Amino acid sequence: MQTNLLTLPTEILSHIFSLSPSGTPRPFSRTCHHLHTISHDPSSRAALLINRYGRPLSLFYAFKSNRSVLTPDVCRVLRAAGAGFPRFLMQLVDREYHAKRGTSDVAVSGKSSTNSVVVSNGVYFWFVGEAWRVYGESADFREDDVSRFERLVYNAFTGGDPSTHDAIRTLIHTFGYVPLKPTSTSLTTTSDELVYSLTRLDLHLLDALVRNGLEMSNELNNFIMERVICRSDISADMVAAYKSHGFKMSDSAIRKGLQSAQPFALAALRAHIPKDMLHRLAEDTMVEMLGPSSTRGPCFTSAAVDFLLAQFPISDECMARALFVHPPGDSKKNEQAKVHEFPATRSYFKSDPCPVWLWVLATYGASHPFTIACFDDALSRASGDPALHELHDVFLAAGVRFRPRHVKILACRVLHRDMAANSLGLIMKLRVQLLGSLIGNNCVERITRECSGDPAAVTDPVPATIMKLENIKYYQYPEDVDEYGNLMDWLKLLKDEIAGNKEWIERMNKTQLEGGPRGGMYRLAQPPEDGIKFLAEAGSIIDEANRTIATAIAQRRTSLSRGVSKKKNSILGSAISFFPSPPPSPSSGNGSV
């Protein structure tokens, strides 16, 4: 059975009108004459404004944002229903009424009112009469309570006399002042910060502000509690006092307190937050600090992360989740293990990731997977920032090793105008590491023994005679065996990416990239000096590595005992075929090396 809307009682239709989401009577009034009449009823309009703006400040927001709804009768009904009448509202009405036009900008504490509806004489006279009725001789129309309140609060914390506190209480208790949120149509530029300052002055003032219309929103709660928990004099009793006035310890406030790295803040949190919850939020704080920068999220400081690691049992699994783009257990982890993706760390997306990477190096050491991932990103970050280039040197001086996958990154970096010199310096350091490992780590000795089938070189049950040169690993560390690759990987990459890559050589000789705001690519009149040196350095590394190992294998072959089996000699011969014959010495008269 269908019911005609117009058959409903007027009271029900008026209530439906008051719940209009648009906050304006226009859509409702255009339906029919009966609903048009209801939409113009002062009681209906008053209910609409109270539902939309709340009872205490309904009159203020109606004047600011919905002035067309206001009539003297609507104003009277609102006041009878309990709407507040703060003195700063009358001051605003007086200023706007005396403006030449209703659309003129009227400066109010740094903001301007641009309501297009002119203040009618009837509405203005009602406001004046109500102001005299409520405030009498204290209805100072020419005063600006908003600016005065902000000055008083500022003076209260900068050595103001005791009368300042009394003046603040008078504005709140007697004249109905309340800080308002800054919006495009709001009266004031301050809100949450003023409320926090007042709670520091006298927490009991908060109750009066709520009566005057202050909305205890989650946003205000988080803003204030984030500052409270970071106070130098924070205590469990202080947190309890704020909670008794309706505040709650939100997750964002707890994370802020943990990030402060203050023992007193942690003690206050432990007194009010369950242990499991606090531990979970400590891990979340660590994840946020090591990840991309955010407006309100915790910022990275080495003191904060060291404090959390000292106070909570944060596992390596949590640190991996905080550092890696694809941590262990990620669906892309298997693919990442095969092909290294860049960036590897979440801190890569920070505006300045260097402090995070330096902290990882200092905390975990040069050979830890966390440090290796940070070095990967430090090399792959396309930036001419001198601080980043200094970070490369710090990592290498601490013992971090290059990997074969870094060859391509260096080849790309040298094509950039601001990174060419840095890339040249890096490949020179790579040369020291790579060629130094051939001798320093007994790589030559190991290769020649295994190629010759010398049983003394075998430390496991696998017979030396079945080992092949291309499978001989060198430059290895137990925690990262598969990452260092073997000599053939190094030589192949240096040739494919640089020395033997005709396309790369042509680009290096003719064009150069430029980052920054301009960006783009431009042609070169002549090859860059750093690029030419980089190419020569790569070729020199290949030649010297081949020469060193080929010479060592030849010397080992001549020293083998006559009892070596033919089978072993055949393996040695196949191994030597991987390398060119050692060049003649200068003394032989056949030319210089």
Side-chain angles (χ1 to χ4, degrees):
M1 173 179 167
Q2 296 182 349
T3 301
N4 191 328
L5 180 65
L6 299 180
T7 62
L8 294 174
T10 302
E11 294 78 7
I12 294 179
L13 292 176
S14 178
H15 181 69
I16 293 174
F17 168 74
S18 70
L19 300 177
S20 173
S22 64
T24 175
R26 184 172 301 175
F28 198 84
S29 65
R30 291 178 175 179
T31 305
C32 66
H33 289 291
H34 184 50
L35 296 182
H36 176 81
T37 301
I38 292 175
S39 68
H40 282 74
D41 177 68
S43 297
S44 299
R45 289 193 170 191
L48 173 70
L49 296 173
I50 290 175
N51 283 335
R52 183 164 181 82
Y53 302 118
R55 192 177 304 275
L57 291 175
S58 56
L59 192 58
F60 167 77
Y61 283 115
F63 180 80
K64 286 294 295 178
S65 307
N66 213 345
R67 195 174 299 174
S68 62
V69 178
L70 279 183
T71 65
D73 289 338
V74 173
C75 292
R76 278 189 286 269
V77 173
L78 283 173
R79 285 291 288 156
F85 193 83
R87 190 174 69 169
F88 67 80
L89 170 58
M90 182 61 239
Q91 295 164 356
L92 174 65
V93 173
D94 184 71
R95 280 190 290 268
E96 294 215 0
Y97 178 75
H98 288 95
K100 293 181 179 180
R101 294 175 55 87
T103 56
S104 298
D105 289 349
V106 182
V108 182
S109 302
K111 287 288 183 180
S112 61
S113 174
T114 56
N115 196 304
S116 60
V117 179
V118 177
V119 181
S120 67
N121 290 335
V123 170
Y124 174 71
F125 293 146
W126 179 88
F127 271 100
V128 172
E130 186 68 7
W132 282 105
R133 187 186 70 81
V134 174
Y135 299 114
E137 295 294 334
S138 299
D140 190 350
F141 297 165
R142 298 304 178 184
E143 178 64 270
D144 184 355
D145 284 354
V146 176
S147 297
R148 181 166 179 251
F149 187 83
E150 293 178 6
R151 291 194 302 269
L152 289 171
V153 172
Y154 175 78
N155 291 335
F157 291 97
T158 55
D161 56 57
S163 63
T164 300
H165 295 189
D166 295 335
I168 292 174
R169 292 185 176 90
T170 299
L171 282 176
I172 294 175
H173 291 289
T174 305
F175 299 119
Y177 184 81
V178 57
L180 301 175
K181 290 185 177 181
T183 61
S184 58
T185 58
S186 71
L187 177 69
T188 177
T189 59
T190 60
S191 56
D192 296 347
E193 192 66 51
L194 272 176
V195 175
Y196 170 62
S197 298
L198 287 173
T199 62
R200 292 179 59 192
L201 183 66
D202 184 354
L203 191 54
H204 295 285
L205 288 175
L206 183 68
D207 300 331
L209 292 179
V210 172
R211 289 194 299 271
N212 291 347
L214 177 68
E215 181 184 359
M216 290 290 291
S217 63
N218 290 332
E219 180 182 357
L220 175 63
N221 177 88
N222 295 344
F223 181 91
I224 291 179
M225 294 309 293
E226 286 175 11
R227 280 153 181 77
V228 169
I229 199 63
C230 294
R231 288 176 56 169
S232 58
D233 59 344
I234 185 63
S235 65
D237 291 340
M238 183 183 295
V239 173
Y242 273 85
K243 291 176 69 175
S244 68
H245 283 80
F247 289 100
K248 300 178 181 178
M249 287 302 300
S250 63
D251 287 359
S252 64
I254 297 172
R255 287 193 290 266
K256 207 70 166 180
L258 293 171
Q259 187 212 359
S260 70
Q262 297 296 329
F264 293 120
L266 181 59
L269 290 173
R270 282 176 169 163
H272 292 275
I273 308 300
K275 182 178 179 180
D276 292 344
M277 180 180 179
L278 196 59
H279 183 205
R280 174 180 61 81
L281 290 173
E283 292 186 339
D284 292 345
T285 303
M286 184 71 76
V287 172
E288 290 188 13
M289 283 195 293
L290 297 182
S293 304
S294 61
T295 305
R296 296 195 61 181
C299 298
F300 172 85
T301 63
S302 58
V305 292
D306 288 337
F307 178 80
L308 292 180
L309 287 174
Q311 297 294 332
F312 296 93
I314 297 179
S315 63
D316 283 349
E317 288 75 15
C318 174
M319 295 304 300
R321 181 163 53 91
L323 278 168
F324 291 142
V325 174
H326 301 301
D330 192 297
S331 58
K332 294 185 178 181
K333 178 63 179 177
N334 293 334
E335 293 298 325
Q336 187 187 26
K338 299 176 182 178
V339 180
H340 285 270
E341 298 178 358
F342 299 99
T345 65
R346 297 171 62 246
S347 50
Y348 181 93
F349 300 101
K350 285 182 174 293
S351 57
D352 182 15
C354 293
V356 177
W357 294 339
L358 288 172
W359 174 83
V360 171
L361 172 65
T363 303
Y364 293 98
S367 59
H368 197 282
F370 295 166
T371 306
I372 295 170
C374 292
F375 187 58
D376 283 347
D377 281 357
L379 291 178
S380 64
R381 190 175 175 90
S383 171
D385 183 8
L388 180 65
H389 297 172
E390 293 176 5
L391 180 138
H392 297 155
D393 296 336
V394 172
F395 268 67
L396 293 170
V400 178
R401 316 293 294 189
F402 284 103
R403 268 73 176 172
R405 61 179 177 271
H406 296 154
V407 172
K408 186 173 183 177
I409 298 176
L410 297 183
C412 293
R413 289 184 65 87
V414 81
L415 298 177
H416 287 256
R417 180 179 185 179
D418 298 331
M419 296 183 283
N422 170 249
S423 301
L424 175 60
L426 290 174
I427 199 171
M428 294 173 70
K429 291 180 173 65
L430 184 149
R431 175 196 185 95
V432 173
Q433 282 192 9
L434 179 60
L435 299 181
S437 298
L438 294 178
I439 300 174
N441 291 343
N442 296 319
C443 177
V444 173
E445 182 74 12
R446 180 181 174 187
I447 288 176
T448 53
R449 284 190 178 184
E450 290 177 342
C451 290
S452 64
D454 187 347
V458 181
T459 58
D460 54 47
V462 181
T465 53
I466 66 172
M467 300 186 70
K468 298 182 180 179
L469 180 63
E470 61 265 28
N471 291 327
I472 296 175
K473 300 291 182 180
Y474 84 107
Y475 191 30
Q476 294 177 349
Y477 292 80
E479 67 277 4
D480 199 18
V481 170
D482 294 334
E483 297 300 319
Y484 285 87
N486 55 45
L487 180 62
M488 300 304 294
D489 291 337
W490 280 104
L491 300 182
K492 185 176 186 302
L493 284 168
L494 287 168
K495 178 181 178 182
D496 293 347
E497 299 294 343
I498 304 174
N501 190 327
K502 295 181 179 179
E503 180 181 356
W504 178 89
I505 294 174
E506 183 177 1
R507 289 185 60 189
M508 184 272 296
N509 286 328
K510 297 182 178 180
T511 61
Q512 204 165 42
L513 302 176
E514 185 172 21
R518 291 179 295 173
M521 178 175 62
Y522 60 94
R523 299 190 66 82
L524 298 173
Q526 59 184 10
E529 181 179 354
D530 289 335
I532 295 298
K533 292 180 179 179
F534 184 91
L535 174 62
E537 192 72 21
S540 176
I541 293 174
I542 295 173
D543 292 343
E544 188 169 347
N546 281 332
R547 185 165 53 247
T548 300
I549 295 180
T551 301
I553 291 178
Q555 291 174 351
R556 169 66 64 176
R557 181 178 57 180
T558 58
S559 64
L560 290 176
S561 63
R562 296 181 180 180
V564 175
S565 65
K566 294 182 179 179
K567 185 175 182 180
K568 292 180 180 179
N569 280 327
S570 65
I571 294 177
L572 176 60
S574 64
I576 295 175
S577 65
F578 278 92
F579 303 97
S581 300
S585 63
S587 60
S588 64
N590 294 328
S592 60
V593 177

